[in-house]
Amino acid sequence: MLVVAFVALLVAAAPAGAAESCGRKVIDDWYNDGRIDGTYALRCYDDAIEILPRDVRVYSSAEEDIRRASQAAKRGEPAPPARTDPSPDGGTNPPDDSDDPTTTTSTPPANGPDDPGPDTEVAPPIGTESASSVPIPLLILGGLALLLVAAGSAGYVIRRVQARRLPPPAA
């Protein structure tokens, strides 16, 4: 019974991630780095603004960035850069010229050319593909809740069955 309930929970959660709208793709693109890098169909930008979570709409520049990307797409231009810089130091990082073939690095990395350096990552990424994916801890807690309800129900049923089998006390 518990396994069936848990599988039903997973099956019910699966279509939510499988049927991803193009508006959700625009929002996910913005969530990646605070700007929209891709070019989408014009209706996708409108869909993204409609389904934008309220807190993101109020406390970030997402709606404005999506509107600007939509205007650029109407003109056939690439998306403009974000108006707010999501980097922690407020935009003082030098631009990344790693894709520019004219830029060369004159000094090798401090640890040598083959050593990638110290592993600064505390935990590996969990692998959530989008901003709207179901968190794994939520699925685990849901499974535990179902397990506890099933155990309580089984205890209640066992007590009722045993109460029927006992002969009445002799007086």
Side-chain angles (χ1 to χ4, degrees), residues 65-159:
D65 293 339
I66 293 170
R67 288 190 192 282
R68 290 175 62 234
S70 173
Q71 292 298 321
K74 287 178 185 174
R75 292 189 302 263
E77 300 173 356
R83 298 202 57 151
T84 57
D85 187 4
S87 63
D89 60 355
T92 59
N93 286 340
D96 183 19
D97 292 333
S98 60
D99 294 335
D100 188 4
T102 61
T103 305
T104 58
T105 305
S106 59
T107 59
N111 298 332
D114 295 332
D115 187 12
D119 188 15
T120 58
E121 191 173 317
V122 175
I126 293 178
T128 54
E129 296 298 322
S130 71
S132 65
S133 62
V134 179
I136 295 173
L138 182 63
L139 291 175
I140 292 170
L141 287 175
L144 287 175
L146 288 173
L147 179 67
L148 289 173
V149 168
S153 299
Y156 178 74
V157 168
I158 289 172
R159 235 184 2 209

